[in-house]
Amino acid sequence: MSQQQPPPSSPPALFTIPIEPLGDRYPAGTVVCTEPAPAVYVLTITVGADNRLTTPTCRALLAALDTLEFGGFAPGVVVTTSGIAKFYSNGLDLEHALSTEGFTPDVLYPLFARFLTFPMPTVALLNGHAFAGGLMLAMHHDYRVMNPARGYCCINELEFGVPLKAGMSAIFRLKTSAATYRTLVLEARRFGGPAALDAGLVDALGGLDALLAFVAARGLTTKAKTGVYGLLKAEMYRESVDLLGAAAHARDELREQEAAKAYDARRDLGERTARDVLRKGGKAPVAKL
């Protein structure tokens, strides 16, 4: 599938960060920075068919954030969006994430933490689907604006049998209601734009024009000028920031291993108990255990 490039009327690029190809599965891509309004920096991600968060993509986004913070640009607002109409991001490539040593603590979590504590306001412009890790990335922004007519956002780990790690889950506890969190995780419900707004997952509906109006109405381009914006966010979201650290991730991995061992022991006892119950008159066939 050919990559969609910004239309000719788009503002000129301030800079472009290449996304390196990943074997035969993902071609090279780009993160292109434009400035459609003064001090509003739009990072357009375009890689493959659906903007998967692979190691090269995460590193390119980190490089783009470093460039905006340390490259002499005036403080303003950072926006991420996609050059692919159908997808903001389809999340992780599970095979790559599981087979790449250190991917979660060394690549993915630093990206989430960087957005969460970035010293300028950040807005995710969800032009299309934001699934699983794609929605997680958006939730680590300060605000979200979603296309009302195209795309869903969801946490669908339930559907492909992968548990949420603590560093992935914490941001939803902090930024959504208990009911929305439950619906996202335990039902894997897909939220279209209007439903996402009602649930508090996004802050406004529309495209770039709506986003620029949202930024202007809140005066967001001025918020980073005092230099404490990132510090305020780090304190606001301290639980999530801590869980995205390497030490917390190591504890999380150990906890998962211990939980798996405990489950094996409980299963052995439970199977013996079930066999005993069924021998004494239970009606369920043992073969189903």
mmCIF file of all heavy atoms in Angstrom, residues 10-44:
data_model
loop_
_atom_site.group_PDB
_atom_site.id
_atom_site.type_symbol
_atom_site.label_atom_id
_atom_site.label_comp_id
_atom_site.label_asym_id
_atom_site.label_seq_id
_atom_site.Cartn_x
_atom_site.Cartn_y
_atom_site.Cartn_z
ATOM 1 N N SER A 10 -0.473 21.755 2.119
ATOM 2 C CA SER A 10 0.022 21.683 3.483
ATOM 3 C C SER A 10 1.162 22.668 3.682
ATOM 4 O O SER A 10 1.904 22.978 2.741
ATOM 5 C CB SER A 10 0.512 20.258 3.792
ATOM 6 O OG SER A 10 -0.550 19.348 3.748
ATOM 7 N N PRO A 11 1.327 23.177 4.916
ATOM 8 C CA PRO A 11 2.449 24.093 5.168
ATOM 9 C C PRO A 11 3.773 23.379 4.979
ATOM 10 O O PRO A 11 3.849 22.150 5.084
ATOM 11 C CB PRO A 11 2.237 24.503 6.630
ATOM 12 C CG PRO A 11 1.373 23.441 7.217
ATOM 13 C CD PRO A 11 0.501 22.951 6.097
ATOM 14 N N PRO A 12 4.836 24.106 4.654
ATOM 15 C CA PRO A 12 6.126 23.457 4.427
ATOM 16 C C PRO A 12 6.634 22.780 5.690
ATOM 17 O O PRO A 12 6.331 23.197 6.820
ATOM 18 C CB PRO A 12 7.036 24.619 4.012
ATOM 19 C CG PRO A 12 6.373 25.835 4.573
ATOM 20 C CD PRO A 12 4.906 25.561 4.527
ATOM 21 N N ALA A 13 7.429 21.738 5.491
ATOM 22 C CA ALA A 13 7.959 20.987 6.625
ATOM 23 C C ALA A 13 9.045 21.795 7.329
ATOM 24 O O ALA A 13 9.922 22.379 6.695
ATOM 25 C CB ALA A 13 8.522 19.655 6.152
ATOM 26 N N LEU A 14 8.967 21.811 8.658
ATOM 27 C CA LEU A 14 10.048 22.389 9.459
ATOM 28 C C LEU A 14 11.227 21.426 9.533
ATOM 29 O O LEU A 14 12.377 21.837 9.511
ATOM 30 C CB LEU A 14 9.549 22.705 10.865
ATOM 31 C CG LEU A 14 8.392 23.695 10.981
ATOM 32 C CD1 LEU A 14 8.004 23.870 12.446
ATOM 33 C CD2 LEU A 14 8.765 25.035 10.368
ATOM 34 N N PHE A 15 10.913 20.146 9.635
ATOM 35 C CA PHE A 15 11.931 19.097 9.594
ATOM 36 C C PHE A 15 11.239 17.756 9.367
ATOM 37 O O PHE A 15 10.018 17.633 9.539
ATOM 38 C CB PHE A 15 12.782 19.056 10.881
ATOM 39 C CG PHE A 15 12.010 18.783 12.145
ATOM 40 C CD1 PHE A 15 11.699 17.478 12.538
ATOM 41 C CD2 PHE A 15 11.628 19.832 12.969
ATOM 42 C CE1 PHE A 15 11.010 17.222 13.708
ATOM 43 C CE2 PHE A 15 10.930 19.592 14.157
ATOM 44 C CZ PHE A 15 10.623 18.292 14.522
ATOM 45 N N THR A 16 12.037 16.784 8.957
ATOM 46 C CA THR A 16 11.544 15.425 8.720
ATOM 47 C C THR A 16 12.465 14.438 9.414
ATOM 48 O O THR A 16 13.684 14.497 9.254
ATOM 49 C CB THR A 16 11.495 15.116 7.209
ATOM 50 O OG1 THR A 16 10.577 16.019 6.575
ATOM 51 C CG2 THR A 16 11.032 13.679 6.959
ATOM 52 N N ILE A 17 11.887 13.541 10.177
ATOM 53 C CA ILE A 17 12.632 12.463 10.833
ATOM 54 C C ILE A 17 12.340 11.173 10.077
ATOM 55 O O ILE A 17 11.169 10.781 9.958
ATOM 56 C CB ILE A 17 12.218 12.301 12.305
ATOM 57 C CG1 ILE A 17 12.343 13.621 13.065
ATOM 58 C CG2 ILE A 17 13.037 11.193 12.965
ATOM 59 C CD1 ILE A 17 13.744 14.101 13.278
ATOM 60 N N PRO A 18 13.351 10.503 9.542
ATOM 61 C CA PRO A 18 13.082 9.234 8.853
ATOM 62 C C PRO A 18 12.740 8.124 9.845
ATOM 63 O O PRO A 18 13.267 8.085 10.956
ATOM 64 C CB PRO A 18 14.403 8.942 8.132
ATOM 65 C CG PRO A 18 15.432 9.654 8.940
ATOM 66 C CD PRO A 18 14.780 10.882 9.498
ATOM 67 N N ILE A 19 11.856 7.259 9.438
ATOM 68 C CA ILE A 19 11.569 6.021 10.166
ATOM 69 C C ILE A 19 12.223 4.888 9.382
ATOM 70 O O ILE A 19 11.871 4.643 8.223
ATOM 71 C CB ILE A 19 10.054 5.769 10.295
ATOM 72 C CG1 ILE A 19 9.392 6.914 11.061
ATOM 73 C CG2 ILE A 19 9.782 4.439 10.981
ATOM 74 C CD1 ILE A 19 7.879 6.826 11.118
ATOM 75 N N GLU A 20 13.181 4.241 9.996
ATOM 76 C CA GLU A 20 13.928 3.192 9.305
ATOM 77 C C GLU A 20 13.034 1.994 9.006
ATOM 78 O O GLU A 20 12.116 1.682 9.773
ATOM 79 C CB GLU A 20 15.119 2.746 10.157
ATOM 80 C CG GLU A 20 16.130 3.844 10.452
ATOM 81 C CD GLU A 20 16.766 4.381 9.192
ATOM 82 O OE1 GLU A 20 16.975 3.590 8.245
ATOM 83 O OE2 GLU A 20 17.044 5.599 9.144
ATOM 84 N N PRO A 21 13.266 1.311 7.885
ATOM 85 C CA PRO A 21 12.486 0.100 7.594
ATOM 86 C C PRO A 21 12.773 -0.988 8.618
ATOM 87 O O PRO A 21 13.830 -1.002 9.251
ATOM 88 C CB PRO A 21 12.961 -0.301 6.201
ATOM 89 C CG PRO A 21 14.318 0.308 6.074
ATOM 90 C CD PRO A 21 14.285 1.582 6.861
ATOM 91 N N LEU A 22 11.828 -1.878 8.789
ATOM 92 C CA LEU A 22 11.980 -2.991 9.725
ATOM 93 C C LEU A 22 11.808 -4.291 8.954
ATOM 94 O O LEU A 22 10.694 -4.782 8.757
ATOM 95 C CB LEU A 22 10.955 -2.885 10.845
ATOM 96 C CG LEU A 22 11.091 -3.896 11.984
ATOM 97 C CD1 LEU A 22 12.397 -3.683 12.746
ATOM 98 C CD2 LEU A 22 9.909 -3.785 12.938
ATOM 99 N N GLY A 23 12.925 -4.835 8.495
ATOM 100 C CA GLY A 23 12.891 -6.066 7.720
ATOM 101 C C GLY A 23 12.013 -5.922 6.495
ATOM 102 O O GLY A 23 11.945 -4.863 5.862
ATOM 103 N N ASP A 24 11.320 -7.011 6.152
ATOM 104 C CA ASP A 24 10.434 -7.004 4.992
ATOM 105 C C ASP A 24 9.010 -6.587 5.350
ATOM 106 O O ASP A 24 8.178 -6.401 4.468
ATOM 107 C CB ASP A 24 10.390 -8.397 4.358
ATOM 108 C CG ASP A 24 11.747 -8.814 3.795
ATOM 109 O OD1 ASP A 24 12.499 -7.914 3.391
ATOM 110 O OD2 ASP A 24 12.041 -10.029 3.798
ATOM 111 N N ARG A 25 8.736 -6.430 6.644
ATOM 112 C CA ARG A 25 7.353 -6.212 7.081
ATOM 113 C C ARG A 25 6.951 -4.750 7.030
ATOM 114 O O ARG A 25 5.783 -4.424 6.765
ATOM 115 C CB ARG A 25 7.162 -6.751 8.503
ATOM 116 C CG ARG A 25 7.455 -8.244 8.627
ATOM 117 C CD ARG A 25 7.133 -8.747 10.002
ATOM 118 N NE ARG A 25 5.708 -8.642 10.291
ATOM 119 C CZ ARG A 25 5.168 -8.967 11.455
ATOM 120 N NH1 ARG A 25 5.944 -9.378 12.441
ATOM 121 N NH2 ARG A 25 3.870 -8.856 11.656
ATOM 122 N N TYR A 26 7.894 -3.851 7.309
ATOM 123 C CA TYR A 26 7.551 -2.438 7.373
ATOM 124 C C TYR A 26 8.551 -1.642 6.561
ATOM 125 O O TYR A 26 9.746 -1.690 6.822
ATOM 126 C CB TYR A 26 7.534 -1.948 8.825
ATOM 127 C CG TYR A 26 6.459 -2.611 9.645
ATOM 128 C CD1 TYR A 26 6.758 -3.677 10.489
ATOM 129 C CD2 TYR A 26 5.131 -2.203 9.547
ATOM 130 C CE1 TYR A 26 5.776 -4.306 11.224
ATOM 131 C CE2 TYR A 26 4.136 -2.833 10.271
ATOM 132 C CZ TYR A 26 4.464 -3.882 11.114
ATOM 133 O OH TYR A 26 3.481 -4.508 11.829
ATOM 134 N N PRO A 27 8.049 -0.873 5.599
ATOM 135 C CA PRO A 27 8.938 -0.040 4.793
ATOM 136 C C PRO A 27 9.391 1.175 5.586
ATOM 137 O O PRO A 27 8.951 1.424 6.714
ATOM 138 C CB PRO A 27 8.038 0.371 3.623
ATOM 139 C CG PRO A 27 6.662 0.424 4.225
ATOM 140 C CD PRO A 27 6.634 -0.712 5.233
ATOM 141 N N ALA A 28 10.273 1.937 4.998
ATOM 142 C CA ALA A 28 10.676 3.199 5.608
ATOM 143 C C ALA A 28 9.482 4.145 5.657
ATOM 144 O O ALA A 28 8.559 4.069 4.846
ATOM 145 C CB ALA A 28 11.816 3.830 4.809
ATOM 146 N N GLY A 29 9.507 5.040 6.623
ATOM 147 C CA GLY A 29 8.449 6.023 6.749
ATOM 148 C C GLY A 29 9.020 7.350 7.216
ATOM 149 O O GLY A 29 10.236 7.561 7.196
ATOM 150 N N THR A 30 8.150 8.231 7.666
ATOM 151 C CA THR A 30 8.601 9.555 8.098
ATOM 152 C C THR A 30 7.738 10.077 9.236
ATOM 153 O O THR A 30 6.559 9.712 9.379
ATOM 154 C CB THR A 30 8.533 10.587 6.955
ATOM 155 O OG1 THR A 30 7.195 10.623 6.434
ATOM 156 C CG2 THR A 30 9.524 10.264 5.846
ATOM 157 N N VAL A 31 8.345 10.944 10.027
ATOM 158 C CA VAL A 31 7.610 11.844 10.918
ATOM 159 C C VAL A 31 7.929 13.244 10.416
ATOM 160 O O VAL A 31 9.082 13.690 10.477
ATOM 161 C CB VAL A 31 8.035 11.687 12.385
ATOM 162 C CG1 VAL A 31 7.322 12.722 13.252
ATOM 163 C CG2 VAL A 31 7.736 10.276 12.889
ATOM 164 N N VAL A 32 6.928 13.918 9.878
ATOM 165 C CA VAL A 32 7.108 15.239 9.276
ATOM 166 C C VAL A 32 6.505 16.293 10.199
ATOM 167 O O VAL A 32 5.342 16.177 10.608
ATOM 168 C CB VAL A 32 6.448 15.313 7.885
ATOM 169 C CG1 VAL A 32 6.606 16.712 7.294
ATOM 170 C CG2 VAL A 32 7.049 14.270 6.954
ATOM 171 N N CYS A 33 7.288 17.307 10.508
ATOM 172 C CA CYS A 33 6.807 18.394 11.367
ATOM 173 C C CYS A 33 6.436 19.609 10.528
ATOM 174 O O CYS A 33 7.250 20.105 9.735
ATOM 175 C CB CYS A 33 7.877 18.768 12.389
ATOM 176 S SG CYS A 33 7.345 20.087 13.517
ATOM 177 N N THR A 34 5.215 20.086 10.707
ATOM 178 C CA THR A 34 4.748 21.319 10.063
ATOM 179 C C THR A 34 4.208 22.262 11.133
ATOM 180 O O THR A 34 3.998 21.875 12.285
ATOM 181 C CB THR A 34 3.658 21.032 9.021
ATOM 182 O OG1 THR A 34 2.582 20.323 9.661
ATOM 183 C CG2 THR A 34 4.200 20.193 7.872
ATOM 184 N N GLU A 35 3.962 23.506 10.731
ATOM 185 C CA GLU A 35 3.457 24.526 11.654
ATOM 186 C C GLU A 35 2.266 25.231 10.998
ATOM 187 O O GLU A 35 2.398 26.315 10.429
ATOM 188 C CB GLU A 35 4.561 25.526 11.994
ATOM 189 C CG GLU A 35 4.220 26.476 13.122
ATOM 190 C CD GLU A 35 5.375 27.428 13.436
ATOM 191 O OE1 GLU A 35 6.375 27.430 12.685
ATOM 192 O OE2 GLU A 35 5.266 28.175 14.424
ATOM 193 N N PRO A 36 1.070 24.616 11.080
ATOM 194 C CA PRO A 36 -0.093 25.200 10.396
ATOM 195 C C PRO A 36 -0.603 26.480 11.036
ATOM 196 O O PRO A 36 -1.398 27.204 10.419
ATOM 197 C CB PRO A 36 -1.138 24.080 10.490
ATOM 198 C CG PRO A 36 -0.746 23.333 11.720
ATOM 199 C CD PRO A 36 0.751 23.365 11.756
ATOM 200 N N ALA A 37 -0.195 26.757 12.265
ATOM 201 C CA ALA A 37 -0.511 28.005 12.949
ATOM 202 C C ALA A 37 0.686 28.335 13.830
ATOM 203 O O ALA A 37 1.464 27.439 14.184
ATOM 204 C CB ALA A 37 -1.785 27.865 13.789
ATOM 205 N N PRO A 38 0.883 29.581 14.175
ATOM 206 C CA PRO A 38 2.061 29.939 14.970
ATOM 207 C C PRO A 38 2.186 29.110 16.248
ATOM 208 O O PRO A 38 1.245 29.018 17.045
ATOM 209 C CB PRO A 38 1.833 31.425 15.283
ATOM 210 C CG PRO A 38 1.005 31.920 14.151
ATOM 211 C CD PRO A 38 0.095 30.787 13.813
ATOM 212 N N ALA A 39 3.361 28.467 16.407
ATOM 213 C CA ALA A 39 3.704 27.673 17.596
ATOM 214 C C ALA A 39 2.807 26.451 17.786
ATOM 215 O O ALA A 39 2.710 25.919 18.885
ATOM 216 C CB ALA A 39 3.705 28.533 18.852
ATOM 217 N N VAL A 40 2.160 25.994 16.722
ATOM 218 C CA VAL A 40 1.443 24.715 16.744
ATOM 219 C C VAL A 40 2.206 23.768 15.830
ATOM 220 O O VAL A 40 2.207 23.945 14.600
ATOM 221 C CB VAL A 40 -0.020 24.854 16.277
ATOM 222 C CG1 VAL A 40 -0.708 23.486 16.256
ATOM 223 C CG2 VAL A 40 -0.783 25.813 17.189
ATOM 224 N N TYR A 41 2.881 22.809 16.421
ATOM 225 C CA TYR A 41 3.783 21.911 15.693
ATOM 226 C C TYR A 41 3.098 20.563 15.497
ATOM 227 O O TYR A 41 2.824 19.844 16.472
ATOM 228 C CB TYR A 41 5.087 21.741 16.468
ATOM 229 C CG TYR A 41 5.745 23.051 16.818
ATOM 230 C CD1 TYR A 41 5.811 23.484 18.151
ATOM 231 C CD2 TYR A 41 6.278 23.876 15.835
ATOM 232 C CE1 TYR A 41 6.402 24.687 18.480
ATOM 233 C CE2 TYR A 41 6.869 25.092 16.158
ATOM 234 C CZ TYR A 41 6.928 25.491 17.484
ATOM 235 O OH TYR A 41 7.515 26.698 17.806
ATOM 236 N N VAL A 42 2.808 20.241 14.243
ATOM 237 C CA VAL A 42 2.090 19.005 13.916
ATOM 238 C C VAL A 42 3.088 17.966 13.422
ATOM 239 O O VAL A 42 3.786 18.181 12.418
ATOM 240 C CB VAL A 42 1.007 19.257 12.851
ATOM 241 C CG1 VAL A 42 0.333 17.937 12.465
ATOM 242 C CG2 VAL A 42 -0.030 20.253 13.373
ATOM 243 N N LEU A 43 3.158 16.844 14.139
ATOM 244 C CA LEU A 43 3.996 15.712 13.750
ATOM 245 C C LEU A 43 3.108 14.691 13.049
ATOM 246 O O LEU A 43 2.243 14.076 13.673
ATOM 247 C CB LEU A 43 4.651 15.082 14.978
ATOM 248 C CG LEU A 43 5.551 15.991 15.816
ATOM 249 C CD1 LEU A 43 6.055 15.240 17.055
ATOM 250 C CD2 LEU A 43 6.712 16.520 14.991
ATOM 251 N N THR A 44 3.311 14.533 11.749
ATOM 252 C CA THR A 44 2.512 13.597 10.955
ATOM 253 C C THR A 44 3.299 12.310 10.758
ATOM 254 O O THR A 44 4.366 12.307 10.145
ATOM 255 C CB THR A 44 2.140 14.205 9.594
ATOM 256 O OG1 THR A 44 1.384 15.408 9.814
ATOM 257 C CG2 THR A 44 1.295 13.228 8.777
#
